Amino acid sequence: MSGVRHVQSGSPWEETFGFARAVAAGDRVVVGGTTSFKGPVLHGEGDPYEQAKVAFGTAFEALAEFGLGAQDVIRTRLLLTHVRDIDEVGRAHKELFDSVRPVCTLMVVDSFVDPRILVEVEVEAYRGPEGAAS
């Protein structure tokens, strides 16, 4: 695919399922579902706030591969397994994006592939006309 660039993060699921952590195409960079796993270790077990912060940190690492950061994010998606965690995940989101104000979708799902995962996030960033040409 011409003009499309992929970034891997080393997640074991990327290889197993055949996907990239992030894909840049034209003026957009999309970061797929990201949890608080770093390699085989789940960070913030039992803590939705910490899981959200770690997951967004991994998403920001992927964006950085394209020269982007939180200020470039235009959309976030928050997936939670428990309604009770909305306030804590929302607090983490506000700390990271209060001045950016991306659109945000919040969903409560039945479960994730590992029952210890409480939060999964996705982000989409705009890289402008300069990014569209690279």
Side-chain angles (χ1 to χ4, degrees):
M1 287 189 285
S2 179
V4 176
R5 184 171 157 223
H6 300 81
V7 168
Q8 303 298 134
S9 70
S11 163
W13 292 304
E14 290 172 0
E15 188 60 34
T16 301
F17 296 162
F19 70 90
R21 170 66 49 219
V23 175
D27 62 359
R28 303 292 167 96
V29 175
V30 181
V31 181
T34 304
T35 68
S36 64
F37 267 99
K38 295 277 193 181
V41 178
L42 177 72
H43 293 265
E45 186 169 348
D47 184 344
Y49 170 82
E50 185 63 22
Q51 285 194 20
K53 293 283 284 221
V54 171
F56 276 120
T58 299
F60 293 159
E61 290 169 9
L63 289 178
E65 293 288 324
F66 301 100
L68 302 174
Q71 72 280 359
D72 301 299
V73 173
I74 60 172
R75 169 186 286 282
T76 61
R77 289 184 184 91
L78 310 171
L79 294 87
L80 317 174
T81 54
H82 301 286
V83 172
R84 68 171 187 246
D85 296 335
I86 289 173
D87 289 340
E88 286 301 293
V89 174
R91 179 168 66 97
H93 190 276
K94 183 175 173 92
E95 287 175 9
L96 297 167
F97 297 108
D98 193 29
S99 64
V100 178
R101 298 291 169 128
V103 298
C104 179
T105 300
L106 172 67
M107 296 171 270
V108 178
V109 299
D110 186 52
S111 64
F112 294 114
V113 296
D114 185 309
R116 298 173 298 160
I117 299 171
L118 303 174
V119 180
E120 185 169 315
V121 304
E122 295 182 357
V123 301
E124 183 175 344
Y126 176 71
R127 60 185 187 157
E130 310 83 51
S134 64

